[in-house]
Amino acid sequence: MEVKKIFLPESELPRQWYNIAADMPTPLEPPLHPGTGQPVGPDDLAPIFPMPLIEQEVSQERWIDIPEEILEKYVYWRPTPLYRAYALEKHLETPAKIYFKNEGVSPAGSHKPNTALAQAYYNKISGTKRITTETGAGQWGSALSMCCAMFGLECNVWMVKISFNQKPYRRIMMETWGATCVASPSTLTKAGQSILDQDPDSPGSLGIAISEAVEAAVMDDNAKYSLGSVLNHVMLHQTINGLETQKQMAIAGDYPDVLIGCAGGGSNFAGHVFPFVRDKIHGKDIDIIAVEPTSCPTMTRGPFAYDFGDTVQMTPLLPMHTLGHGFVPEPIHAGGLRYHGMAPLVSQLIMDNLIRPVAVPQLETFQAGITFARTEGFISAPETDHAIAVVIREALKAKEEGKEKVILFNWSGHGLVDMAAYEAYLSGKLADHALAEDQIARALKEIEPLPKPKQYRG
Ligand SMILES: Cc1ncc(COP(=O)(O)O)c(C=O)c1O
């Protein structure tokens, strides 16, 4: 019998996170204050985040120690297993070897608790009583709810309305872990109310939900805001994944030629690939692919520009690939990939040609998810299906070329709470959304007056 899974013992759990800022060929340009347009300092961020996270956000240290209290809880689900997808390989008749890292084994079902745990911990030791956040498909909101419960913190989640209606079970998970969850836009905040005044039927977006959660945190001295993706400290916490994977690939005796992850705000992708990007910076030849939906093509069609992280323009301006903070994507089922921006770290590495972005249409992603379920058994989150679609493309390319490539991807989460999406696909109710150039141009008009990064390309 061939080895299917590679486990690491708990004693092999990485004791440090990897900070790619220390190895970037082009350093990130600073976030800018939304009012003054000047670089923000730690004090500007203090009303929203606790100081230890702000320090990590700007850190240039290559390795950052993981506190013992976090390690003690990481072992609830970590290290996660690395799988070899023999059945998928056989089905595709590819000479490629396909590996996947299974982040769906966390109690919340995805990679999101890797940073939720760290953020809850640093808030707890900084005296925060209540954390506010947004969530798209509900994976992030449920992960943070669980981790707030572990550290005795209150948690309030604004969930993008379209997903709130599509995925009631995610809301119930959050409530089971003791959090509250409301549909965004909501009437609880000025930001939500202003959107509803313009469009009472707004399906919501991550940008709007972020505005609501930030506003709620700023209004309460005992509350802080927490973001599940995009920011540097979130990418940092997620690197525990890639660091484990490197050890597991060494045990397998292989090294990836192609590395793939889906990217919404960039965190599961970054966490999985950044330790390998470091290898690439030092000369390894790896094709590192970030996958997004064609209906929210931030990396493939959005310029690298300064933009707000939220719709109502409360957050600092970040240098990133963006479709404009007012962009509201089609209500596709991969709710976690419906974000107008992309992590500045991922965006900068795209600019430096270390990461290659690819966009795939919705129907292809569900077809890929079905193929994966019928071969490897696991039912994937719709976000994860985006990665699988490109794994299949790459495995078929390897077949055409007759090359025995090693393909590695991040299986970012399971889709067991997303069955309504699979039902819609299986009953032929889903469609691909073509996104017209003028729709993007209209959304980008809003960012024209904003400052431009040095590498701005319109
Ligand atoms: C399973 C899963 N994968 C991927 C993502 C995309 O987010 P990120 O790019 O931060 O990993 C999400 C976001 O909700 C998710 O739930």
Side-chain angles (χ1 to χ4, degrees), residues 290-317:
V291 188
E292 66 184 4
T294 48
S295 55
C296 190
T298 314
M299 299 177 288
T300 50
R301 291 172 74 184
F304 178 74
Y306 267 112
D307 197 6
F308 297 98
D310 71 324
T311 305
V312 183
Q313 311 182 10
M314 293 167 76
T315 70
L317 293 163

Side-chain angles (χ1 to χ4, degrees), residues 16 112 204 207 391 403 439:
Q16 292 175 313
K112 295 283 182 183
V391 168
K403 286 193 184 150
Q439 243 175 300

